[in-house]
Amino acid sequence: MFFHVTLTLLGGFLQTVKLFVLTLVFSLPLGLVISFGSMSKISAIKAPVRFVIWVIRGTPLMLQLLVMYYGPGIMFHANVWGSGDSGRFVAALVAFVINYSCYFSEIYRGGIQSIPVGQYEAGKVLGMTKSQIFFKVVLLQVIKRIVPPISNEIITLVKDTSLARVIAVYEIIWEGQSFIKSAGIIWPLFYTGIFYLLFSGLLTILFGQIEKKLSYFR
Amino acid sequence: MIMLEVKNLKKSFSSTEVIHDISFSMDEGETVSIIGSSGSGKTTLLRCLNFLETPDGGVIKIRDDVLFDSNAEEPMSEEAARKKRLHFGMVFQSFNLFPQYTALENVTLAPSILAKGYGNPDITSIENRGRELLADMGLSDRMQNYPHELSGGQQQRVAIARALALNPDILCFDEPTSALDPELTGEVLRVIKDLAKNHTTMIIVTHEMSFARDVSDKVIFMDKGVIAEEGTPEEVIDNPKNERTIQFLSNYRNIQ
Ligand SMILES: Nc1ncnc2c1ncn2[C@@H]1O[C@H](COP(=O)(O)OP(=O)(O)O)[C@@H](O)[C@H]1O
Ligand SMILES: [Mg+2]
């Protein structure tokens, strides 16, 4: 039984990790693009970007998942997600990417805006171009400042992936819960908790290492 | 030989004119001090020279090279401003060192980037020059330290070496010791004095009157965006004629 449960949970965990990794791969860079939009001097760019960030951060991810999956079909009669498991997975991934990009963009914006203007001016009077100032002077300072909030967000994402079950993405908790009905046992649910603890523990160590790597300057 | 010529310089922020019609010139190798009360436009003047602000009017000339002319056909591009800035070095009140680089890297970063732009960076000679400059600043044993490991006085000396590394025609200082504890101002003023002895062309905004008197060939007193009085230190600091200069300097006499 233990072996069977482990195998089933591993299958669910694979879905969880897949959703987690792909969400990060897309939302970390997309967040940077969105943060530039939200800091744009052109209000025709800045205003709509800030509006979208407000909507996404102001509504539950659960709601966004449901609207993302059912919305296109019911509102526009468009089957954009394809059918079956893979379709639901893609819909969940898109909802997660949009949601997390917006959260990351706010962290990036905070980090970029926290760099004192004197750093830019020192770069300018030394004859550096805007992009040289960004990449050689500002970027590493921004990274140092955003590592703690980004790691919080990423550890939240580990747990948020479980929300994908509302559109029947068979992540690990879904699989764990299935044993209540099929075998009348609760311990597989606790077992899923161990997967989460190990995973987030691993990430905590990793981010701790990164913070330590960047602690050589202030 | 005339190094810098500023004519009818003007700068406003929104509707308030901060620099009204300032003209002055300085020779190569001269040290000019700018004194004046807070808010009189000293920082803004230096920022205009470094093109951190675009002047609204006037002409800035280095030797025979017109860097800025408000009557020019087209506005100055970002790229043009970047090149013109290199005529000036700037040392800020708050140092503004790059925290993720060592003292030496702070000094060599910009020269290396520029040299790469020209295609053949001679990194060894750039580093040697950086070491030399830091040694001149009395920082031979601090080259590998990061800014947060240095005292304010040491940080400001790194900032001076960093500005000198690009061989500017004119080095500008904006209250270089104002952010320092009193016991650290001496070491910074001393290296500036050494630079003056070696005929580095400098413009120094300062509140250190006895330093200004010792180091300057010329002193400019600014008041409300204009030059109210200028001349030798003996003229302006020791025997001011203008009512406002007398008023301003009396604050310092009282303290001393
Ligand atoms: N970026 C700015 N925007 C608006 N006003 C400014 C700006 N920079 C300076 N000022 C104003 O210009 C005046 C002169 O400032 P500043 O050049 O810093 O004087 P100083 O360096 O002599 O103390 C002050 O009244 C200041 O408030
Ligand atoms: Mg000032």
Side-chain angles (χ1 to χ4, degrees):
Chain A
M1 190 66 187
F2 180 76
F3 186 69
H4 173 61
V5 169
T6 304
L7 222 58
T8 313
L9 292 190
L10 270 176
F13 190 59
L14 195 71
Q15 286 292 307
T16 297
V17 171
K18 215 169 97 188
L19 187 56
F20 172 83
V21 170
L22 288 174
T23 299
L24 287 185
V25 164
F26 292 109
S27 63
L28 284 169
L30 186 59
L32 192 61
V33 176
I34 295 174
S35 78
F36 286 137
S38 74
M39 290 183 287
S40 172
K41 285 187 189 112
I42 307 157
S43 57
I45 296 173
K46 179 173 142 177
V49 170
R50 292 251 172 130
F51 178 78
V52 170
I53 294 173
W54 175 66
V55 170
I56 296 294
R57 299 209 315 158
T59 57
L61 177 52
M62 174 87 85
L63 177 64
Q64 292 162 23
L65 276 162
L66 291 169
V67 169
M68 186 60 68
Y69 181 57
Y70 294 110
I74 294 174
M75 293 190 295
F76 310 112
H77 304 286
N79 179 15
V80 291
W81 303 123
S83 57
D85 290 356
S86 69
R88 289 196 297 276
F89 182 84
V90 173
L93 178 62
V94 171
F96 270 90
V97 167
I98 292 173
N99 183 277
Y100 271 81
S101 304
C102 287
Y103 278 96
F104 289 145
S105 81
E106 287 294 276
I107 294 174
Y108 292 144
R109 183 166 71 89
I112 291 171
Q113 290 181 339
S114 74
I115 303 302
V117 67
Q119 291 289 307
Y120 293 91
E121 291 186 344
K124 274 189 189 177
V125 297
L126 291 168
M128 296 184 203
T129 64
K130 276 193 171 145
S131 76
Q132 286 165 350
I133 293 172
F134 184 76
F135 287 108
K136 305 266 178 181
V137 174
V138 175
L139 186 61
L140 194 62
Q141 297 183 53
V142 172
I143 290 173
K144 181 183 169 75
R145 280 169 208 222
I146 65 175
V147 165
I150 289 273
S151 45
N152 271 333
E153 212 54 59
I154 288 179
I155 285 170
T156 304
L157 172 62
V158 173
K159 294 165 288 174
D160 271 358
T161 50
S162 61
L163 292 172
R165 59 172 302 165
V166 297
I167 55 173
V169 171
Y170 304 127
E171 45 68 58
I172 183 168
I173 294 185
W174 175 290
E175 301 290 6
Q177 196 182 358
S178 68
F179 288 101
I180 295 179
K181 257 192 214 145
S182 64
I185 48 175
I186 186 90
W187 63 263
L189 270 186
F190 288 104
Y191 196 4
T192 64
I194 298 198
F195 277 86
Y196 282 106
L197 283 173
L198 286 179
F199 194 26
S200 57
L202 209 70
L203 289 171
T204 306
I205 292 169
L206 176 73
F207 289 123
Q209 293 289 328
I210 296 176
E211 269 182 62
K212 219 164 115 197
K213 267 250 158 67
L214 290 172
S215 67
Y216 70 90
F217 71 92
R218 272 189 209 142
Chain B
M1 195 178 96
I2 288 193
M3 175 67 103
L4 172 69
E5 211 177 339
V6 174
K7 270 192 263 177
N8 307 108
L9 198 73
K10 294 190 182 74
K11 177 68 189 175
S12 308
F13 292 111
S14 51
S15 61
T16 38
E17 198 167 64
V18 173
I19 302 281
H20 314 270
D21 205 12
I22 281 193
S23 304
F24 70 97
S25 65
M26 65 189 292
D27 286 341
E28 189 163 357
E30 260 191 339
T31 298
V32 172
S33 289
I34 301 179
I35 59 174
S37 44
S38 173
S40 55
K42 307 179 297 296
T43 296
T44 307
L45 174 60
L46 287 192
R47 290 174 60 85
C48 285
L49 294 179
N50 282 278
F51 301 105
L52 291 174
E53 309 283 355
T54 310
D56 298 322
V59 177
I60 300 173
K61 244 168 88 175
I62 282 213
R63 297 202 181 92
D64 289 323
D65 197 359
V66 177
L67 297 191
F68 177 81
D69 184 349
S70 54
N71 293 319
E73 308 284 286
E74 43 199 285
M76 187 169 31
S77 70
E78 183 64 33
E79 184 58 18
R82 190 177 71 77
K83 293 232 170 78
K84 288 170 179 184
R85 266 185 205 120
L86 291 172
H87 288 283
F88 293 90
M90 179 80 162
V91 174
F92 299 91
Q93 188 175 336
S94 50
F95 331 136
N96 297 344
L97 292 182
F98 305 133
Q100 73 270 43
Y101 294 116
T102 62
L104 183 60
E105 288 166 343
N106 262 277
V107 176
T108 56
L109 179 68
S112 319
I113 290 176
L114 278 179
K116 269 178 208 149
Y118 297 133
N120 68 335
D122 181 358
I123 297 298
T124 324
S125 76
I126 289 172
E127 278 194 1
N128 288 339
R129 166 107 170 107
R131 274 180 236 268
E132 215 172 276
L133 284 166
L134 285 170
D136 290 347
M137 298 292 129
L139 294 169
S140 306
D141 54 345
R142 287 280 176 269
M143 300 202 193
Q144 302 306 331
N145 286 90
Y146 289 93
H148 77 270
E149 299 165 336
L150 302 173
S151 72
Q154 292 170 334
Q155 288 188 51
Q156 191 60 300
R157 286 182 281 150
V158 175
I160 295 170
R162 180 175 73 172
L164 286 168
L166 289 173
N167 304 312
D169 292 317
I170 300 176
L171 186 52
C172 302
F173 295 80
D174 190 7
E175 302 191 28
T177 58
S178 291
L180 297 175
D181 293 336
E183 74 266 25
L184 299 177
T185 59
E187 61 189 57
V188 172
L189 297 181
R190 214 168 305 126
V191 301
I192 301 176
K193 275 182 192 164
D194 285 345
L195 293 174
K197 252 182 236 144
N198 294 325
H199 304 290
T200 309
T201 314
M202 296 187 285
I203 303 177
I204 308 171
V205 171
T206 185
H207 289 291
E208 301 278 344
M209 286 310 143
S210 60
F211 164 74
R213 188 200 285 124
D214 293 350
V215 81
S216 315
D217 298 296
K218 186 160 92 181
V219 175
I220 290 177
F221 171 68
M222 270 182 74
D223 184 60
K224 300 197 179 76
V226 300
I227 294 179
E229 189 164 355
E230 64 176 302
T232 62
E234 293 75 29
E235 289 167 343
V236 178
I237 296 181
D238 297 333
N239 304 292
K241 305 241 162 16
N242 186 297
E243 201 49 51
R244 287 176 293 181
T245 321
I246 296 169
Q247 180 66 39
F248 170 75
L249 287 169
S250 70
N251 300 325
Y252 289 89
R253 303 251 147 78
N254 290 344
I255 295 165
Q256 278 167 3

